[in-house]
Amino acid sequence: MNKRLFVAGFIAFILFLILRYVYDLPIFVSFDKNMQALVGENSFIGSFHYLGELKVISLITLILLGWLGFKHPNNPRIIFVLFTIPVGFLLNQLMKNWVKRPRPEIENQLSSYSFPSGHAMLGLLYLLTIAFLLSERTTVEKKKWWIWIVAITLAFFIGLSRVAESRHFAIDVMAGWCLGVAWFCLCVYWYINKSSNQLKRD
């Protein structure tokens, strides 16, 4: 399990770095334009951006922390949630200010940088965090599969909504997913090792 997590996280981070250095090549600029033409102004896809809004994610994070803290104040899951979501947000902002890619040119565009997409990265992080915590609480494999399928599907549409609304280029969204997966794998790796060591001490 730990080895697979490390490999998956490493591959995702390498893909993020590749996208960071190739996004302005003609083939990827063309890809961005084609994706914009495909899903641009799609109101159904665009509506998913609400699930990736910072205020929504912040509220869900507070609910998660309150629930976990009420049940088990010393639970390593609390640190896990803090790592995946709030620290994940700081990582996203750090990467944005490192790359400094402007957003697509549209009227009333947001003033922050575009790469990687915060909606894509944070949407994926909080949904995978919820899926991970829920899947820990069930032994029914079919339920686990459905939990992960729903989480991944919602994360996909949250990311795609940013292209539909011209807030991000498609490459920005892909980079957000890649960095989100890399960070999530690292956090799960820490959590599994922390939980294992705690059980040994107990």
Side-chain angles (χ1 to χ4, degrees):
M1 175 66 173
N2 285 355
K3 185 177 180 181
R4 292 198 299 270
L5 278 171
F6 179 82
V7 172
F10 180 75
I11 291 173
F13 185 66
I14 293 299
L15 288 174
F16 167 77
L17 288 178
I18 291 172
L19 292 174
R20 184 262 177 269
Y21 288 106
V22 303
Y23 69 76
D24 55 353
L25 294 180
I27 187 173
F28 293 102
V29 172
S30 177
F31 172 77
D32 284 334
K33 290 180 179 178
N34 290 335
M35 284 300 297
Q36 177 60 39
L38 181 65
V39 302
E41 299 182 3
N42 185 308
S43 58
F44 172 73
I45 295 176
S47 66
F48 281 88
H49 90 268
Y50 292 108
L51 295 177
E53 290 291 327
L54 186 58
K55 57 186 177 183
V56 173
I57 296 175
S58 298
L59 177 61
I60 291 173
T61 302
L62 289 173
I63 292 171
L64 276 175
L65 291 173
W67 174 64
L68 293 171
F70 176 76
K71 293 179 72 65
H72 303 288
N74 297 320
N75 196 329
R77 293 181 183 89
I78 295 174
I79 306 299
F80 173 68
V81 172
L82 289 172
F83 274 161
T84 54
I85 307 174
V87 178
F89 169 76
L90 294 176
L91 178 61
N92 177 264
Q93 295 301 301
L94 182 66
M95 293 297 105
K96 281 179 183 288
N97 285 285
W98 172 43
V99 180
K100 296 183 178 179
R101 186 186 192 186
R103 291 178 183 263
E105 294 183 6
I106 62 170
E107 188 177 355
N108 298 321
Q109 182 58 282
L110 301 173
S111 59
S112 56
Y113 293 119
S114 193
F115 184 104
S117 165
H119 269 67
M121 181 176 172
L122 270 296
L124 181 139
L125 281 173
Y126 92 85
L127 287 165
L128 292 192
T129 297
I130 292 171
F132 180 79
L133 294 173
L134 289 177
S135 64
E136 272 198 320
R137 298 176 61 84
T138 180
T139 56
V140 181
E141 286 298 318
K142 190 174 182 179
K143 285 185 179 179
K144 288 184 179 182
W145 275 103
W146 276 112
I147 288 169
W148 286 102
I149 288 170
V150 170
I152 292 169
T153 300
L154 289 175
F156 172 78
F157 279 105
I158 289 172
L160 205 60
S161 73
R162 305 312 276 167
V163 181
E165 295 187 324
S166 299
R167 296 302 188 185
H168 284 284
F169 298 103
I171 293 296
D172 303 334
V173 170
M174 293 173 64
W177 287 333
C178 289
L179 188 58
V181 168
W183 182 243
F184 182 75
C185 287
L186 181 62
C187 292
V188 173
Y189 180 87
W190 170 86
Y191 170 76
I192 290 174
N193 282 284
K194 178 71 174 179
S195 299
S196 177
N197 291 335
Q198 188 170 350
L199 286 173
K200 288 178 183 178
R201 288 196 302 269
D202 295 342

